Amino acid sequence: MTTPAVFSDAWTRAQAVADTQKLKLLDPAGQNITVPDGPYWVMETAAGLADRAGAGEPVDLEDGTIWLHLMVPKGTGTLEALELRKAMSVAFRQATNLPTGIIYRGHMFDPPDLSQAGNRVRFSLGIGYEYQDILT
């Protein structure tokens, strides 16, 4: 399970970049939103592990991946998509005020499937993260 604080932190960072790029950031659960004609971002999270730091410890450790998918209309060109995706990855390498924010653990790029059906190409960015949640 992704901690709500992780989703909120990631959403705030991603929204700031999307605003700078003048692109929409869509929530997968909010699909009643009209899909833009041009490029746009979709964000989702996947927690890989969420467990107590140790016996009796009041800290939950969570790690996982924040996925940001840049959906680009076919014919847009790869270079522009790579530049947009790189700008998004930089936002997650910024320092955080521990323990309130996510800790950056690296990133990965999932290449687009050039044979995918439809009129868009997906450029995915996976942000590895760690989060410490103080149990109260």
Side-chain angles (χ1 to χ4, degrees), residues 43-123:
M43 189 185 96
E44 59 185 335
T45 60
L49 170 70
D51 204 353
R52 305 265 324 239
E57 291 289 327
V59 176
D60 236 3
L61 297 177
E62 176 182 319
D63 68 18
T65 306
I66 298 157
W67 283 103
L68 290 145
H69 308 289
L70 178 61
M71 306 302 294
V72 179
K74 287 184 177 177
T76 300
T78 299
L79 185 57
E80 179 184 344
L82 293 177
E83 289 169 350
L84 292 169
R85 186 171 67 177
K86 176 156 193 265
M88 184 62 80
S89 74
V90 168
F92 286 86
R93 290 183 247 170
Q94 305 300 320
T96 59
N97 296 323
L98 298 177
T100 59
I102 58 176
I103 302 167
Y104 171 82
R105 290 290 182 227
H107 66 268
M108 63 196 112
F109 299 114
D110 183 22
D113 177 2
L114 300 179
S115 64
Q116 74 186 51
N119 58 1
R120 295 198 181 262
V121 177
R122 176 186 50 82
F123 287 81

Side-chain angles (χ1 to χ4, degrees), residues 7 11 26-33 42-44:
F7 187 89
W11 185 268
L26 302 183
D27 179 344
Q31 287 304 310
N32 60 343
I33 299 170
V42 177
M43 189 185 96
E44 59 185 335

Side-chain angles (χ1 to χ4, degrees), residues 10-34:
W11 185 268
T12 299
R13 293 177 195 224
Q15 186 65 66
V17 175
D19 287 348
T20 299
Q21 296 174 339
K22 295 182 174 54
L23 299 179
K24 292 272 190 201
L25 174 64
L26 302 183
D27 179 344
Q31 287 304 310
N32 60 343
I33 299 170
T34 302

